[in-house]
């Protein structure tokens, strides 16, 4: 009786995208058989309008002057002062717009990349490795999401003050390098998307656990990792509470810097909302380039089979 030789690792690696494409084609065939009706389009239209209206309202106020927001006869046609208001935000010495923009890009990118790396490694260990106490440890990691960040602000600030890191951008990067939600998300995704037979075939073929993770785990986790990167980046970009406490006015992130626009005796909301719109432009650019990965990650996590 002949013993069949397991497929080489390269063949296993090529089989992952083929299997994903087959499943995607099956889902597409099922979806094409469903024709949405009037109420589906009406609901989508309401959702789109609800999402777009705050941006239009901010642009409407941001393109006016200081009296626009209090004008009862305000026109719904944008004015022509948006560029001037945006320039006043960028040139305001109290805001430090460009250093704050760089701090936000730098810190958000590092945080998102670190969360993806650590969550993928931990998710692979919880999903595909067998070790004592794995389930209890995963439950403990998930349970940490129930602890609000506000409870740890005082000891965390005391720690960074003793280290001399207050006022430095590293004080907001170090505490956010891992994410309990990211570990849980990648664990659930890898459990469903990676068959145990692929791992067994790779190990029989002589691949180490690190190479098995790199060839099979990383390849399969790309859609979920892209989605996790986007949401983590947005969360780090919009984070205000902890940066406002630990950073100073000379080295802020963008949300903290824009809050300084409201610290004067007179608040010009046209300038404030122009600054708010400026802060959303990098996020819109990111979603424009990574929207396909985001949709594929949502569909891969929502549909099994």
């Amino acid at each position: 009786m002949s013993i069949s030789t397991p497929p080489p690792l390269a063949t296993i690696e090529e089989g992952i995208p083929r299997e994903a494409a087959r499943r995607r084609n099956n889902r597409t065939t099922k979806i094409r058989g469903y024709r949405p009706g009037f109420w589906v389009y009406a609901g989508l239209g309401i959702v789109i309008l609800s999402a777009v209206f705050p941006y239009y309202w901010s642009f409407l106020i941001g393109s006016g002057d200081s009296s626009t927001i209090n004008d009862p006869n305000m026109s719904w046609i944008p004015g022509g002062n948006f560029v001037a208001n945006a320039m006043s935000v960028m040139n305001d010495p109290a805001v430090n717009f460009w250093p704050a923009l760089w701090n936000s890009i730098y810190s958000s990118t590092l945080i998102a990349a670190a969360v993806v790396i650590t969550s993928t490694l931990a998710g692979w260990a919880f999903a595909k490795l067998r070790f004592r106490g794995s389930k209890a440890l995963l439950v403990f990691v998930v349970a940490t999401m129930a602890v609000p960040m506000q409870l740890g602000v005082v000891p965390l600030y005391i720690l960074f003050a003793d280290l001399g890191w207050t006022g430095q951008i590293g004080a907001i990067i170090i505490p956010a390098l891992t994410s309990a939600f990211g570990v849980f998300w990648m664990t659930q995704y890898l459990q469903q998307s990676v068959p145990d037979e692929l791992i067994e075939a790779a190990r029989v073929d002589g691949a180490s656990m690190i190479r098995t993770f790199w060839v099979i785990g990383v390849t399969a986790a790309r859609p979920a990792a892209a989605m996790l990167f986007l949401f983590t980046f947005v969360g780090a970009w919009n984070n205000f509470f902890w940066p406002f406490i630990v950073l100073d006015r000379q080295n802020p992130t963008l949300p903290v810097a824009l809050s300084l626009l409201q610290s004067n005796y007179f608040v010009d909301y046209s300038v404030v909302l122009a600054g708010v719109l400026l802060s959303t432009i990098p996020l819109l650019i990111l979603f424009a380039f990574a929207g396909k990965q985001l949709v594929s990650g949502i569909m891969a996590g929502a549909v099994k089979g």
Side-chain angles (χ1 to χ4, degrees):
M1 182 178 63
S2 61
I3 301 176
S4 59
T5 304
L9 193 58
T11 304
I12 297 174
E13 182 180 1
E14 294 175 358
I16 296 174
R18 293 177 181 175
E19 180 67 17
R22 184 187 65 81
R23 295 181 178 180
R24 184 167 57 251
N25 292 334
N26 292 338
R27 292 196 297 264
T28 304
T29 303
K30 295 178 182 179
I31 293 173
R32 286 176 179 174
Y34 172 74
R35 298 180 62 86
F38 169 78
W39 294 109
V40 175
Y41 288 106
L44 291 176
I46 293 174
V47 171
I48 293 173
L49 289 177
S50 301
V52 173
F53 180 75
Y55 290 96
Y56 181 76
W57 175 261
S58 299
F59 181 73
L60 187 66
I61 303 299
S63 62
D65 52 29
S66 58
S67 62
T68 301
I69 195 171
N70 297 319
D71 187 2
N73 299 320
M74 181 183 62
S75 174
W76 287 91
I77 299 176
N81 297 329
F82 181 79
V83 176
N85 293 332
M87 292 301 296
S88 66
V89 173
M90 291 185 286
N91 297 327
D92 192 337
V95 174
N96 292 325
F97 179 82
W98 296 111
L101 177 63
W102 166 248
N103 286 339
S104 291
I105 295 175
Y106 174 72
S107 61
S108 300
T109 304
L110 281 183
I111 290 172
V115 166
V116 167
I117 294 173
T118 56
S119 298
T120 305
L121 287 169
W124 176 263
F126 283 124
K128 296 302 174 182
L129 301 184
R130 301 293 180 263
F131 57 94
R132 183 178 300 177
S134 60
K135 293 183 179 180
L137 185 58
L138 179 61
V139 171
F140 174 77
V141 171
V142 174
T144 59
M145 292 190 293
V147 181
M149 177 185 176
Q150 289 79 1
L151 292 180
V153 165
V154 174
L156 196 61
Y157 184 85
I158 294 175
L159 173 63
F160 283 112
D162 293 339
L163 295 174
W165 287 8
T166 55
Q168 300 182 18
I169 198 66
I172 67 173
I173 296 177
I174 299 300
L177 292 180
T178 60
S179 170
F181 171 77
V183 173
F184 175 74
W185 165 254
M186 296 305 299
T187 300
Q188 297 300 311
Y189 182 85
L190 290 172
Q191 280 181 346
Q192 298 181 6
S193 61
V194 179
D196 293 337
E197 291 77 9
L198 283 177
I199 300 176
E200 294 173 0
R203 297 305 300 273
V204 170
D205 197 48
S208 63
M209 180 53 63
I210 297 297
R211 189 182 179 190
T212 303
F213 166 74
W214 180 256
V215 173
I216 298 177
V218 173
T219 303
R222 284 175 184 173
M227 183 178 176
L228 180 61
F229 181 91
L230 285 173
F231 284 138
T232 305
F233 185 93
V234 173
W237 182 275
N238 294 327
N239 188 19
F240 174 80
F241 182 70
W242 175 242
F244 180 76
I245 294 174
V246 77
L247 298 180
D248 51 35
R249 293 191 176 188
Q250 286 70 37
N251 193 34
T253 56
L254 198 55
V256 176
L258 293 178
S259 68
L260 300 177
L261 294 172
Q262 304 183 60
S263 61
N264 298 325
Y265 179 77
F266 172 75
V267 180
D268 189 349
Y269 286 100
S270 61
V271 176
V272 173
L273 291 178
V276 170
L277 283 178
L278 288 177
S279 68
T280 62
I281 291 177
L283 297 180
L284 295 177
I285 295 175
L286 178 63
F287 274 92
F289 282 99
K292 183 177 180 180
Q293 287 292 333
L294 176 61
V295 173
S296 63
I298 294 175
M299 292 300 296
V303 181
K304 180 181 178 182

